[in-house]
PDB file of all heavy atoms in Angstrom:
ATOM      1  N   PHE A  96       6.021 -10.564   8.628  1.00 90.00           N
ATOM      2  CA  PHE A  96       7.407 -11.014   8.479  1.00 90.00           C
ATOM      3  C   PHE A  96       8.381  -9.862   8.748  1.00 90.00           C
ATOM      4  O   PHE A  96       9.351 -10.002   9.505  1.00 90.00           O
ATOM      5  CB  PHE A  96       7.588 -11.570   7.065  1.00 90.00           C
ATOM      6  CG  PHE A  96       9.004 -11.654   6.582  1.00 90.00           C
ATOM      7  CD1 PHE A  96       9.910 -12.525   7.160  1.00 90.00           C
ATOM      8  CD2 PHE A  96       9.433 -10.866   5.521  1.00 90.00           C
ATOM      9  CE1 PHE A  96      11.216 -12.614   6.702  1.00 90.00           C
ATOM     10  CE2 PHE A  96      10.734 -10.944   5.055  1.00 90.00           C
ATOM     11  CZ  PHE A  96      11.627 -11.818   5.652  1.00 90.00           C
ATOM     12  N   LEU A  97       8.132  -8.717   8.151  1.00 92.00           N
ATOM     13  CA  LEU A  97       8.996  -7.556   8.350  1.00 92.00           C
ATOM     14  C   LEU A  97       8.917  -7.052   9.792  1.00 92.00           C
ATOM     15  O   LEU A  97       9.931  -6.641  10.377  1.00 92.00           O
ATOM     16  CB  LEU A  97       8.603  -6.444   7.376  1.00 92.00           C
ATOM     17  CG  LEU A  97       8.843  -6.742   5.886  1.00 92.00           C
ATOM     18  CD1 LEU A  97       8.206  -5.666   5.016  1.00 92.00           C
ATOM     19  CD2 LEU A  97      10.334  -6.848   5.587  1.00 92.00           C
ATOM     20  N   SER A  98       7.723  -7.094  10.358  1.00 93.00           N
ATOM     21  CA  SER A  98       7.548  -6.661  11.747  1.00 93.00           C
ATOM     22  C   SER A  98       8.322  -7.566  12.699  1.00 93.00           C
ATOM     23  O   SER A  98       8.911  -7.100  13.685  1.00 93.00           O
ATOM     24  CB  SER A  98       6.061  -6.659  12.117  1.00 93.00           C
ATOM     25  OG  SER A  98       5.334  -5.764  11.300  1.00 93.00           O
ATOM     26  N   TYR A  99       8.328  -8.852  12.403  1.00 91.00           N
ATOM     27  CA  TYR A  99       9.055  -9.804  13.251  1.00 91.00           C
ATOM     28  C   TYR A  99      10.552  -9.523  13.209  1.00 91.00           C
ATOM     29  O   TYR A  99      11.253  -9.681  14.212  1.00 91.00           O
ATOM     30  CB  TYR A  99       8.777 -11.236  12.802  1.00 91.00           C
ATOM     31  CG  TYR A  99       9.369 -12.272  13.732  1.00 91.00           C
ATOM     32  CD1 TYR A  99       8.703 -12.636  14.898  1.00 91.00           C
ATOM     33  CD2 TYR A  99      10.593 -12.871  13.456  1.00 91.00           C
ATOM     34  CE1 TYR A  99       9.244 -13.574  15.764  1.00 91.00           C
ATOM     35  CE2 TYR A  99      11.142 -13.808  14.317  1.00 91.00           C
ATOM     36  CZ  TYR A  99      10.463 -14.154  15.470  1.00 91.00           C
ATOM     37  OH  TYR A  99      11.010 -15.079  16.333  1.00 91.00           O
ATOM     38  N   PHE A 100      11.046  -9.096  12.063  1.00 89.00           N
ATOM     39  CA  PHE A 100      12.453  -8.729  11.951  1.00 89.00           C
ATOM     40  C   PHE A 100      12.797  -7.614  12.936  1.00 89.00           C
ATOM     41  O   PHE A 100      13.831  -7.639  13.599  1.00 89.00           O
ATOM     42  CB  PHE A 100      12.766  -8.258  10.527  1.00 89.00           C
ATOM     43  CG  PHE A 100      13.548  -9.258   9.727  1.00 89.00           C
ATOM     44  CD1 PHE A 100      13.024  -9.788   8.566  1.00 89.00           C
ATOM     45  CD2 PHE A 100      14.801  -9.667  10.134  1.00 89.00           C
ATOM     46  CE1 PHE A 100      13.736 -10.714   7.819  1.00 89.00           C
ATOM     47  CE2 PHE A 100      15.529 -10.592   9.400  1.00 89.00           C
ATOM     48  CZ  PHE A 100      14.998 -11.115   8.234  1.00 89.00           C
ATOM     49  N   VAL A 101      11.922  -6.621  13.003  1.00 92.00           N
ATOM     50  CA  VAL A 101      12.147  -5.499  13.922  1.00 92.00           C
ATOM     51  C   VAL A 101      12.097  -5.977  15.366  1.00 92.00           C
ATOM     52  O   VAL A 101      12.920  -5.581  16.198  1.00 92.00           O
ATOM     53  CB  VAL A 101      11.106  -4.384  13.684  1.00 92.00           C
ATOM     54  CG1 VAL A 101      11.293  -3.249  14.686  1.00 92.00           C
ATOM     55  CG2 VAL A 101      11.214  -3.845  12.259  1.00 92.00           C
ATOM     56  N   VAL A 102      11.124  -6.828  15.670  1.00 90.00           N
ATOM     57  CA  VAL A 102      11.016  -7.392  17.023  1.00 90.00           C
ATOM     58  C   VAL A 102      12.289  -8.143  17.391  1.00 90.00           C
ATOM     59  O   VAL A 102      12.848  -7.965  18.479  1.00 90.00           O
ATOM     60  CB  VAL A 102       9.795  -8.335  17.122  1.00 90.00           C
ATOM     61  CG1 VAL A 102       9.841  -9.141  18.422  1.00 90.00           C
ATOM     62  CG2 VAL A 102       8.502  -7.538  17.041  1.00 90.00           C
ATOM     63  N   TYR A 103      12.761  -8.970  16.476  1.00 88.00           N
ATOM     64  CA  TYR A 103      13.969  -9.759  16.725  1.00 88.00           C
ATOM     65  C   TYR A 103      15.159  -8.840  16.986  1.00 88.00           C
ATOM     66  O   TYR A 103      15.945  -9.063  17.916  1.00 88.00           O
ATOM     67  CB  TYR A 103      14.254 -10.660  15.522  1.00 88.00           C
ATOM     68  CG  TYR A 103      15.373 -11.652  15.756  1.00 88.00           C
ATOM     69  CD1 TYR A 103      15.097 -12.918  16.269  1.00 88.00           C
ATOM     70  CD2 TYR A 103      16.695 -11.325  15.478  1.00 88.00           C
ATOM     71  CE1 TYR A 103      16.108 -13.833  16.491  1.00 88.00           C
ATOM     72  CE2 TYR A 103      17.719 -12.229  15.702  1.00 88.00           C
ATOM     73  CZ  TYR A 103      17.423 -13.480  16.206  1.00 88.00           C
ATOM     74  OH  TYR A 103      18.437 -14.378  16.433  1.00 88.00           O
ATOM     75  N   ALA A 104      15.286  -7.800  16.172  1.00 88.00           N
ATOM     76  CA  ALA A 104      16.414  -6.873  16.322  1.00 88.00           C
ATOM     77  C   ALA A 104      16.360  -6.146  17.661  1.00 88.00           C
ATOM     78  O   ALA A 104      17.383  -6.017  18.349  1.00 88.00           O
ATOM     79  CB  ALA A 104      16.412  -5.864  15.177  1.00 88.00           C
ATOM     80  N   THR A 105      15.180  -5.668  18.036  1.00 87.00           N
ATOM     81  CA  THR A 105      15.066  -4.937  19.299  1.00 87.00           C
ATOM     82  C   THR A 105      15.303  -5.845  20.498  1.00 87.00           C
ATOM     83  O   THR A 105      15.855  -5.411  21.512  1.00 87.00           O
ATOM     84  CB  THR A 105      13.679  -4.279  19.431  1.00 87.00           C
ATOM     85  OG1 THR A 105      12.656  -5.284  19.294  1.00 87.00           O
ATOM     86  CG2 THR A 105      13.475  -3.222  18.369  1.00 87.00           C
ATOM     87  N   LYS A 106      14.898  -7.096  20.382  1.00 84.00           N
ATOM     88  CA  LYS A 106      15.067  -8.032  21.493  1.00 84.00           C
ATOM     89  C   LYS A 106      16.520  -8.488  21.645  1.00 84.00           C
ATOM     90  O   LYS A 106      17.053  -8.549  22.755  1.00 84.00           O
ATOM     91  CB  LYS A 106      14.173  -9.261  21.287  1.00 84.00           C
ATOM     92  CG  LYS A 106      12.693  -8.999  21.488  1.00 84.00           C
ATOM     93  CD  LYS A 106      12.374  -8.765  22.947  1.00 84.00           C
ATOM     94  CE  LYS A 106      10.895  -8.589  23.179  1.00 84.00           C
ATOM     95  NZ  LYS A 106      10.572  -8.380  24.613  1.00 84.00           N
ATOM     96  N   VAL A 107      17.152  -8.816  20.541  1.00 82.00           N
ATOM     97  CA  VAL A 107      18.502  -9.385  20.591  1.00 82.00           C
ATOM     98  C   VAL A 107      19.571  -8.300  20.695  1.00 82.00           C
ATOM     99  O   VAL A 107      20.499  -8.395  21.491  1.00 82.00           O
ATOM    100  CB  VAL A 107      18.754 -10.277  19.356  1.00 82.00           C
ATOM    101  CG1 VAL A 107      20.193 -10.781  19.336  1.00 82.00           C
ATOM    102  CG2 VAL A 107      17.784 -11.453  19.359  1.00 82.00           C
ATOM    103  N   TRP A 108      19.441  -7.243  19.891  1.00 81.00           N
ATOM    104  CA  TRP A 108      20.471  -6.207  19.873  1.00 81.00           C
ATOM    105  C   TRP A 108      20.417  -5.291  21.089  1.00 81.00           C
ATOM    106  O   TRP A 108      21.427  -4.733  21.493  1.00 81.00           O
ATOM    107  CB  TRP A 108      20.343  -5.356  18.603  1.00 81.00           C
ATOM    108  CG  TRP A 108      20.655  -6.098  17.341  1.00 81.00           C
ATOM    109  CD1 TRP A 108      21.239  -7.331  17.248  1.00 81.00           C
ATOM    110  CD2 TRP A 108      20.399  -5.682  16.001  1.00 81.00           C
ATOM    111  NE1 TRP A 108      21.357  -7.704  15.929  1.00 81.00           N
ATOM    112  CE2 TRP A 108      20.855  -6.715  15.139  1.00 81.00           C
ATOM    113  CE3 TRP A 108      19.831  -4.542  15.443  1.00 81.00           C
ATOM    114  CZ2 TRP A 108      20.753  -6.628  13.755  1.00 81.00           C
ATOM    115  CZ3 TRP A 108      19.727  -4.451  14.058  1.00 81.00           C
ATOM    116  CH2 TRP A 108      20.188  -5.483  13.226  1.00 81.00           C
ATOM    117  N   LEU A 109      19.233  -5.111  21.660  1.00 78.00           N
ATOM    118  CA  LEU A 109      19.077  -4.133  22.744  1.00 78.00           C
ATOM    119  C   LEU A 109      18.700  -4.786  24.072  1.00 78.00           C
ATOM    120  O   LEU A 109      18.103  -4.147  24.933  1.00 78.00           O
ATOM    121  CB  LEU A 109      18.005  -3.099  22.367  1.00 78.00           C
ATOM    122  CG  LEU A 109      18.214  -2.343  21.057  1.00 78.00           C
ATOM    123  CD1 LEU A 109      17.011  -1.454  20.775  1.00 78.00           C
ATOM    124  CD2 LEU A 109      19.485  -1.509  21.107  1.00 78.00           C
ATOM    125  N   GLU A 110      19.067  -6.044  24.239  1.00 71.00           N
ATOM    126  CA  GLU A 110      18.625  -6.797  25.414  1.00 71.00           C
ATOM    127  C   GLU A 110      19.000  -6.108  26.722  1.00 71.00           C
ATOM    128  O   GLU A 110      18.183  -5.974  27.636  1.00 71.00           O
ATOM    129  CB  GLU A 110      19.227  -8.202  25.384  1.00 71.00           C
ATOM    130  CG  GLU A 110      18.839  -9.042  26.591  1.00 71.00           C
ATOM    131  CD  GLU A 110      19.475 -10.423  26.558  1.00 71.00           C
ATOM    132  OE1 GLU A 110      20.256 -10.701  25.621  1.00 71.00           O
ATOM    133  OE2 GLU A 110      19.191 -11.210  27.470  1.00 71.00           O
ATOM    134  N   PHE A 111      20.246  -5.654  26.833  1.00 63.00           N
ATOM    135  CA  PHE A 111      20.716  -5.095  28.100  1.00 63.00           C
ATOM    136  C   PHE A 111      20.964  -3.586  28.018  1.00 63.00           C
ATOM    137  O   PHE A 111      21.667  -3.027  28.850  1.00 63.00           O
ATOM    138  CB  PHE A 111      22.008  -5.801  28.530  1.00 63.00           C
ATOM    139  CG  PHE A 111      21.857  -7.284  28.686  1.00 63.00           C
ATOM    140  CD1 PHE A 111      22.448  -8.149  27.779  1.00 63.00           C
ATOM    141  CD2 PHE A 111      21.096  -7.817  29.718  1.00 63.00           C
ATOM    142  CE1 PHE A 111      22.309  -9.526  27.913  1.00 63.00           C
ATOM    143  CE2 PHE A 111      20.950  -9.190  29.855  1.00 63.00           C
ATOM    144  CZ  PHE A 111      21.558 -10.047  28.952  1.00 63.00           C
ATOM    145  N   ASP A 112      20.407  -2.944  27.025  1.00 66.00           N
ATOM    146  CA  ASP A 112      20.642  -1.510  26.851  1.00 66.00           C
ATOM    147  C   ASP A 112      19.711  -0.706  27.752  1.00 66.00           C
ATOM    148  O   ASP A 112      18.491  -0.861  27.701  1.00 66.00           O
ATOM    149  CB  ASP A 112      20.425  -1.112  25.389  1.00 66.00           C
ATOM    150  CG  ASP A 112      21.115   0.197  25.045  1.00 66.00           C
ATOM    151  OD1 ASP A 112      20.866   1.186  25.761  1.00 66.00           O
ATOM    152  OD2 ASP A 112      21.908   0.218  24.087  1.00 66.00           O
TER     153      ASP A 112
END
Side-chain angles (χ1 to χ4, degrees):
F96 161 67
L97 294 171
S98 299
Y99 187 82
F100 254 119
V101 177
V102 168
Y103 188 90
T105 56
K106 288 289 184 179
V107 175
W108 293 348
L109 304 175
E110 179 181 3
F111 302 109
D112 201 306

